[in-house]
């Protein structure tokens, strides 16, 4: 099945070049399903459709594309940043970008990026849950976690935090062990939403009862009982503080 692709680019000639390269060399694997020329338009497209792969410029009409990642909970697609500037590379990979391509985009580098996406997609299909897999379940306050050996039943209260790793989630437990599960962070958020968990950042899900302190900053930082520091997205700061103060 082809990957649905979204292009976020405010310069038509850059979009047209990328589209030409994709249609000429990767039409069997990738289908362009949308084009957004601004961040608000991109957010609307995210909410109305599903994309497997996103090409995103960083500087869009004077706004920073990383705002999208603060606004949305993005786990189910790969993002490839396209930009004329190399100064954002470290920040791009910090948010788990699949690749970072400098304009003008070369056919060879684009192919390498597409190959990474297809390889990751294949591995996810081979190692992950099949389409239509059942939702994660909570039974008697224990979450049912699928593993390669079968199932593990973990009390929700024993989870300190969950961290996104592409289409996988790493679960950190109070006994200092961790599990890597082939399910997205969004799925864990849905399963644990009634068990005192909050989403301070697109990459993290945190047990409220394990929050030790909040340190001020642009969005701020949560200090957990295991001394882990978790960034709070600036757009979620007020909501997170309100929840913390009410529990």
């Amino acid at each position: 099945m082809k990957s649905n692709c979204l292009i976020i680019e405010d310069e038509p000639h850059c979009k047209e070049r990328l589209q030409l390269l994709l249609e000429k060399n990767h039409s069997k694997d990738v289908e362009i399903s949308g084009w957004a020329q601004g961040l608000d338009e991109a957010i609307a497209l995210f909410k109305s459709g599903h994309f497997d792969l996103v090409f995103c410029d960083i500087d869009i009409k004077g706004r920073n594309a990383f705002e999208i990642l603060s606004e949305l909970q993005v786990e189910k697609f790969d993002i490839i940043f396209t930009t004329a500037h190399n100064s954002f590379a470290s920040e791009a990979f910090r948010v788990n970008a699949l690749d970072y391509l400098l304009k003008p985009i070369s056919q060879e580098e684009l192919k390498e990026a597409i190959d990474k996406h297809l390889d990751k997609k294949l591995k996810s299909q081979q190692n992950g849950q099949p389409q239509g897999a059942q939702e994660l379940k909570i039974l008697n306050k224990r979450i049912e976690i699928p593993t390669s050996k079968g199932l593990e039943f973990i009390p929700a209260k024993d989870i300190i935090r969950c961290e996104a790793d592409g289409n996988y989630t790493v679960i950190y437990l109070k006994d200092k062990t961790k599990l890597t599960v082939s399910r997205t962070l969004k799925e864990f958020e849905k399963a644990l939403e009634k068990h005192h968990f909050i989403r301070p950042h697109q990459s993290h899900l945190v047990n409220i009862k394990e929050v030790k302190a909040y340190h001020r900053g642009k969005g701020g930082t949560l200090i957990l009982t295991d001394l882990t520091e978790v960034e709070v997205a600036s757009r979620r700061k007020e909501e997170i503080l309100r929840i913390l103060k009410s529990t």
Side-chain angles (χ1 to χ4, degrees):
M1 183 181 295
K2 291 184 181 181
S3 293
N4 290 325
C5 169
L6 171 66
I7 297 175
I8 305 173
E9 173 62 70
D10 62 346
E11 298 183 70
H13 70 280
C14 291
K15 177 261 183 182
E16 289 168 6
R17 173 173 172 77
L18 176 58
Q19 181 176 349
L20 178 64
L21 290 173
L22 290 172
E23 291 179 346
K24 181 180 178 180
N25 303 298
H26 306 284
S27 59
K28 292 182 179 180
D29 299 310
V30 175
E31 181 175 352
I32 300 172
S33 302
W35 172 34
Q37 298 185 70
L39 298 188
D40 292 335
E41 184 181 355
I43 290 171
L45 286 172
F46 275 119
K47 292 180 178 179
S48 64
H50 169 76
F51 301 98
D52 305 298
L53 179 62
V54 174
F55 289 93
C56 185
D57 191 6
I58 292 179
D59 184 11
I60 302 176
K61 295 183 178 178
R63 296 176 65 189
N64 190 306
F66 294 111
E67 292 178 27
I68 289 181
L69 301 182
S70 297
E71 178 76 15
L72 301 173
Q73 297 166 359
V74 290
E75 302 90 5
K76 294 190 175 181
F77 60 79
D78 289 328
I79 186 163
I80 297 172
F81 286 106
T82 58
T83 178
H85 311 284
N86 59 15
S87 56
F88 294 106
S90 60
E91 189 171 1
F93 288 114
R94 185 174 63 81
V95 295
N96 295 320
L98 182 70
D99 214 329
Y100 186 93
L101 304 180
L102 290 175
K103 299 176 182 177
I105 297 172
S106 73
Q107 179 177 325
E108 294 75 16
E109 291 180 341
L110 178 60
K111 182 180 184 304
E112 289 180 6
I114 294 292
D115 286 346
K116 285 182 187 178
H117 165 69
L118 296 176
D119 183 59
K120 183 178 175 182
K121 183 178 179 180
L122 178 61
K123 288 180 180 178
S124 178
Q125 291 171 345
Q126 291 174 339
N127 300 326
Q129 295 295 318
Q131 275 193 315
Q134 292 185 349
E135 295 181 351
L136 292 170
K137 296 179 181 178
I138 292 280
L139 301 171
N140 297 321
K141 297 183 179 180
R142 298 189 304 169
I143 187 167
E144 180 182 292
I145 298 177
T147 68
S148 59
K149 296 180 180 179
L151 296 171
E152 289 199 29
F153 299 90
I154 307 293
K157 65 181 181 61
D158 288 348
I159 299 173
I160 295 178
R161 66 186 178 97
C162 302
E163 182 175 0
D165 183 11
N167 288 323
Y168 293 81
T169 297
V170 183
I171 304 169
Y172 294 84
L173 302 172
K174 287 183 181 180
D175 64 4
K176 298 184 178 181
T177 62
K178 65 180 182 179
L179 295 171
T180 300
V181 184
S182 181
R183 304 297 284 267
T184 65
L185 191 63
K186 180 67 174 178
E187 292 176 271
F188 278 93
E189 180 185 21
K190 184 175 181 180
L192 294 167
E193 62 184 351
K194 296 180 180 179
H195 296 269
H196 307 290
F197 280 77
I198 53 175
R199 188 83 174 266
H201 186 274
Q202 57 122 3
S203 297
H204 297 279
L205 184 66
V206 170
N207 186 338
I208 297 174
K209 298 183 182 298
E210 297 300 316
V211 177
K212 183 179 179 181
Y214 168 80
H215 288 176
R216 290 191 295 272
K218 182 179 179 181
T221 303
L222 300 181
I223 310 300
L224 308 185
T225 54
D226 64 352
L227 302 183
T228 298
E229 297 184 8
V230 174
E231 180 184 352
V232 178
S234 57
R235 291 176 180 242
R236 299 180 189 171
K237 177 179 177 179
E238 292 185 7
E239 177 189 0
I240 295 299
L241 287 175
R242 177 182 58 80
I243 293 172
L244 289 173
K245 290 177 180 179
S246 65
T247 55

